[in-house]
Amino acid sequence: MITDMSQGRPAVILWRFTIPMLLSAVFQQLYNVADSVVAGRFVGEDALAAVGASFPITMIFMAVALGSNTGCSVIISQLFGAKETARMKTAVSTSVIAILALSALLTAGGFLFCEPLMRLLGTPENVFADSQLYLNVYIGGLTFLFLYNICTGVFTALGDSRTPLYFLIASSLANIVMDVVFVVCFHMGVGGVAWATFLCQGVASVLAAWTLFRRLRGVPAPERHPLFSWRMLGRIARIAVPSILQQSFISVGNLFIQSLVNSFGSAVVAGYSAAVKLNTFALTGFTTLGNGLSSFTAQNIGAGRPERVKQGFRAGAGMTLCVAVPFIAAFVFAGPQMVRLFLSAPSADALAQGTLFLNIVAPFYVLISLKLAADGVLRGAGCMGQFMTATFTDLILRVILAFLLAPRFGAAGIWMSWPLGWAVAAALSLGFYFTGGWRKRVGSIDK
């Protein structure tokens, strides 16, 4: 299943490579969506609000996992494209060792600081206990979350997008079943959806790690390779740390926005929780296609083939637009029905605000999808300064505009900040791509 993406037609390779990644993203999102749907429909609106109120905090940990995934994936892709298999294997084992150590530190920090952070955010008192329970179980499974994301990053770096899909299909379906069993049959409430995710993600991560190292043993290397290298860790960190900061700053920005949403009461929180899960589902699809373009770019940068990067961007941009159009249609023309998926008997405020969020944000998916395609090239080439500039601009604008517009327009002002931030960030990312600074990275594999 390992694929050399420096050979063959770029459009065909990207479609074959990214479709399994896109399906993987769909099943990955089923974890969060299933938790929210089961909590909202079988426990109640407050349960959905409890899961939603904890979402921005869980995204901080997810930010670290995704940033680490990016760091190892870009470096391993470049080494694979340059046919340096011994150093590639060192990069893999170094990434796994480092992420296990990091997950232990973050687990300890999570247990210490999550409750004060929830109080700082003004989490409504009627959902506080359930939010804290959900977070405690989630934090206990951070090692599984991080290990799985590192393994996924390595698989995609080697051009294998199918193996992660197989694991996700099995674990996501199992998670849905266990959600229902724990909540409906055992009456475990919000704790039930948390434990279902913990168990399914744990099994998936262990099996993914076992499969990865078993497969790597079959990749020949011309020389012995060390299991851990500080120099390799530093090289990975040069990509991973900016990615983690970028993801973390987005999560911190979402915390500020969540605190603003919380001030409007639990009904608005519930409507926002449903709508933002749908929005995240769509954005994850665009981001996943961008990640596929990053692996394609990194392999071709390592192989010294910049012309294929340009062809890949054109194909990737077209793919993201193909994904954006169905989401736009569904969210604009069937917004209330989409929000109702999460709530069995939504209040008028919850339904209205969730629908309004989708109607305001969804038409601008064209902009954000093109931005994320350009980001894929910048990240795959290692142009992290440009990548972070565009992303931080989006974040800072969204947070500032949310607080400026909310007093005048209410919750709708918060929703308006999304497309405004996206428009400016898309202009920056596309500008960075078309000016061509990424070409300087071609053939720049460090020795």
Side-chain angles (χ1 to χ4, degrees):
M1 294 184 183
I2 293 175
T3 303
D4 183 352
M5 290 187 283
S6 65
Q7 307 293 328
R9 293 177 57 192
V12 173
I13 289 174
L14 273 172
W15 274 110
R16 289 177 178 172
F17 178 60
T18 55
I19 286 176
M21 289 182 68
L22 187 59
L23 292 173
S24 295
V26 170
F27 281 98
Q28 179 72 57
Q29 285 301 307
L30 283 178
Y31 274 103
N32 287 330
V33 171
D35 287 354
S36 295
V37 170
V38 172
R41 297 189 68 88
F42 293 104
V43 185
E45 188 172 293
D46 283 353
L48 174 60
V51 175
S54 66
F55 182 68
I57 299 177
T58 65
M59 290 306 294
I60 293 177
F61 298 113
M62 182 62 76
V64 179
L66 293 176
S68 302
N69 175 307
T70 299
C72 78
S73 181
V74 167
I75 298 304
I76 292 167
S77 289
Q78 290 179 353
L79 292 170
F80 181 68
K83 306 299 186 290
E84 297 189 22
T85 54
R87 296 177 66 214
M88 180 196 75
K89 289 188 174 185
T90 295
V92 173
S93 55
T94 297
S95 298
V96 172
I97 293 169
I99 204 63
L100 291 176
L102 181 60
S103 67
L105 291 174
L106 290 178
T107 298
F111 283 128
L112 286 174
F113 298 113
C114 273
E115 180 181 354
L117 185 55
M118 288 171 61
R119 296 206 178 276
L120 184 64
L121 291 173
T123 304
E125 201 60 39
N126 60 315
V127 302
F128 189 92
D130 278 344
S131 291
Q132 184 178 7
L133 172 61
Y134 185 88
L135 275 174
N136 283 338
V137 178
Y138 183 93
I139 291 166
L142 285 181
T143 297
F144 298 141
L145 172 70
F146 287 11
L147 179 61
Y148 181 80
N149 273 274
I150 284 293
C151 292
T152 299
V154 177
F155 281 128
T156 55
L158 301 178
D160 177 8
S161 56
R162 295 183 183 181
T163 298
L165 172 61
Y166 300 149
F167 285 122
L168 272 174
I169 290 175
S171 59
S172 298
L173 294 178
N175 184 60
I176 294 171
V177 172
M178 294 183 72
D179 271 344
V180 174
V181 170
F182 286 173
V183 172
V184 178
C185 299
F186 296 159
H187 307 290
M188 295 174 63
V190 171
V193 298
W195 280 112
T197 299
F198 176 96
L199 293 173
C200 293
Q201 193 162 251
V203 172
S205 66
V206 172
L207 291 176
W210 178 80
T211 302
L212 173 63
F213 284 102
R214 182 171 178 268
R215 190 165 297 165
L216 283 174
R217 284 200 296 270
V219 177
E223 58 193 58
R224 290 182 60 85
H225 60 282
L227 288 177
F228 184 85
S229 165
W230 286 105
R231 181 170 182 174
M232 185 64 72
L233 180 60
R235 185 176 170 191
I236 293 169
R238 285 197 292 272
I239 303 295
V241 171
S243 298
I244 291 172
L245 290 175
Q246 173 251 339
Q247 295 281 350
S248 298
F249 279 20
I250 291 175
S251 298
V252 171
N254 288 338
L255 289 177
F256 284 107
I257 291 175
Q258 182 71 52
S259 69
L260 191 57
V261 173
N262 289 347
S263 69
F264 287 90
S266 60
V268 175
V269 172
Y272 171 73
S273 297
V276 82
K277 286 291 177 67
L278 292 166
N279 181 61
T280 301
F281 197 97
L283 294 183
T284 299
F286 310 147
T287 303
T288 299
L289 292 173
N291 290 342
L293 192 52
S294 286
S295 294
F296 177 88
T297 298
Q299 282 200 19
N300 282 282
I301 289 290
R305 306 197 64 183
E307 75 284 353
R308 290 178 58 81
V309 175
K310 295 173 65 175
Q311 295 169 8
F313 171 75
R314 289 194 293 269
M319 292 167 64
T320 59
L321 291 175
C322 289
V323 173
V325 171
F327 279 115
I328 294 171
F331 293 171
V332 170
F333 297 109
Q337 291 81 359
M338 301 300 292
V339 174
R340 287 181 192 275
L341 291 173
F342 293 83
L343 293 164
S344 58
S347 64
D349 282 346
L351 182 61
Q353 290 299 333
T355 302
L356 182 61
F357 178 96
L358 294 177
N359 288 339
I360 289 174
V361 169
F364 293 88
Y365 284 165
V366 171
L367 282 178
I368 193 63
S369 66
L370 290 174
K371 174 195 182 297
L372 292 171
D375 286 348
V377 173
L378 298 176
R379 188 171 52 236
C383 300
M384 301 307 294
Q386 295 177 342
F387 169 67
M388 291 175 66
T389 298
T391 302
F392 287 166
T393 299
D394 171 25
L395 169 66
I396 293 168
L397 277 177
R398 269 195 288 145
V399 173
I400 292 174
L401 289 171
F403 279 86
L404 289 176
L405 296 174
R408 180 176 177 84
F409 299 101
I414 307 175
W415 316 154
M416 288 184 225
S417 66
W418 257 263
L420 293 173
W422 288 348
V424 175
L428 286 172
S429 289
L430 290 168
F432 288 141
Y433 168 75
F434 285 113
T435 54
W438 54 269
R439 293 185 183 91
K440 298 176 182 178
R441 304 282 178 164
V442 177
S444 62
I445 301 295
D446 295 335
K447 298 297 180 184

